[in-house]
Amino acid sequence: ENNLIRFFENHFGEEICLQVIEKYQIGTSKHWSGATIFWQIDSKNRIHTGKIMLYDTKTGKRIKKPFNYIYWTHKLLNKTNFQLKQCFFGEHLLPKESKPVAIVESEKTAIIASIYLPQFTWLATGSLNNLNTEKCQVLSGKSVTLFPDLNAFSRWKEKQDLISVSLPD
């Protein structure tokens, strides 16, 4: 039982839903009933962590009440001396695909965009402030376009030159 997967099935059908589950390695967590795990798997196929989020089955929106339902697999595992080094959600696709790369903030947005605009390899930063030079090193030699959320355009514009990527006009 995964609320976001049920939402995808209702909107895109079972076949497309199964394709995106496999492509992005979407998981399900028992931490909250119906929760989704967005695995952060790097370009060398190493798992860095998993972001656990809870969505509404009907609207596909994140549930934020009575609290913000976001948690991390590395916290659930209580790893001692664990040092989190995040990577892009979807980064594991980079070695397999030669398409231009498109980067958005939300994991859900990357998945949906991959259905509508398959000519790109869609990645997600996972948060507004998670776009940085270190994370972008894996994009060297790739054609990259940023698609910031409306409220993030100016912030990502500032970072654009530092990480040598482009923004749409």
Side-chain angles (χ1 to χ4, degrees):
E1 292 294 312
N2 183 313
N3 294 355
L4 185 62
I5 297 301
R6 281 199 262 148
F7 173 78
F8 286 160
E9 281 179 336
N10 290 337
H11 285 80
F12 304 112
E14 186 177 347
E15 185 178 335
I16 289 174
C17 186
L18 290 172
Q19 288 171 4
V20 296
I21 291 169
E22 184 177 336
K23 180 177 184 173
Y24 283 98
Q25 299 296 303
I26 302 168
T28 301
S29 173
K30 293 180 182 176
H31 185 63
W32 298 300
S33 180
T36 301
I37 304 175
F38 297 113
W39 294 107
Q40 289 186 9
I41 306 168
D42 69 20
S43 61
K44 294 180 179 155
N45 225 26
R46 297 175 298 199
I47 298 172
H48 288 232
T49 190
K51 186 177 183 183
I52 303 168
M53 300 177 80
L54 187 62
Y55 290 87
D56 182 275
T57 304
K58 291 183 178 102
T59 66
K61 293 186 183 221
R62 204 158 44 89
I63 297 176
K64 298 179 181 179
K65 294 192 179 191
F67 60 90
N68 206 357
Y69 286 85
I70 298 177
Y71 206 68
W72 298 92
T73 58
H74 66 273
K75 287 186 177 181
L76 285 176
L77 295 172
N78 281 327
K79 294 253 180 186
T80 54
N81 300 322
F82 177 81
Q83 294 200 333
L84 176 62
K85 182 181 175 198
Q86 292 191 55
C87 65
F88 288 109
F89 170 74
E91 185 177 312
H92 66 283
L93 301 171
L94 292 175
K96 303 170 196 162
E97 299 185 5
S98 59
K99 300 184 266 187
V101 175
I103 300 176
V104 293
E105 183 181 331
S106 158
E107 296 89 349
K108 182 180 86 172
T109 301
I111 294 164
I112 293 171
S114 77
I115 295 167
Y116 286 110
L117 298 166
Q119 67 269 33
F120 292 99
T121 299
W122 288 90
L123 308 180
T125 60
S127 82
L128 176 61
N129 297 313
N130 249 356
L131 184 66
N132 60 55
T133 306
E134 182 182 5
K135 191 182 282 188
C136 289
Q137 288 176 356
V138 72
L139 303 172
S140 179
K142 303 231 181 247
S143 171
V144 180
T145 304
L146 303 176
F147 291 91
D149 287 359
L150 190 57
N151 64 347
F153 191 87
S154 60
R155 277 194 190 163
W156 281 21
K157 180 81 174 146
E158 291 171 13
K159 295 180 180 188
Q160 171 186 357
D161 293 333
L162 295 173
I163 55 180
S164 301
V165 296
S166 61
L167 284 162
D169 294 329

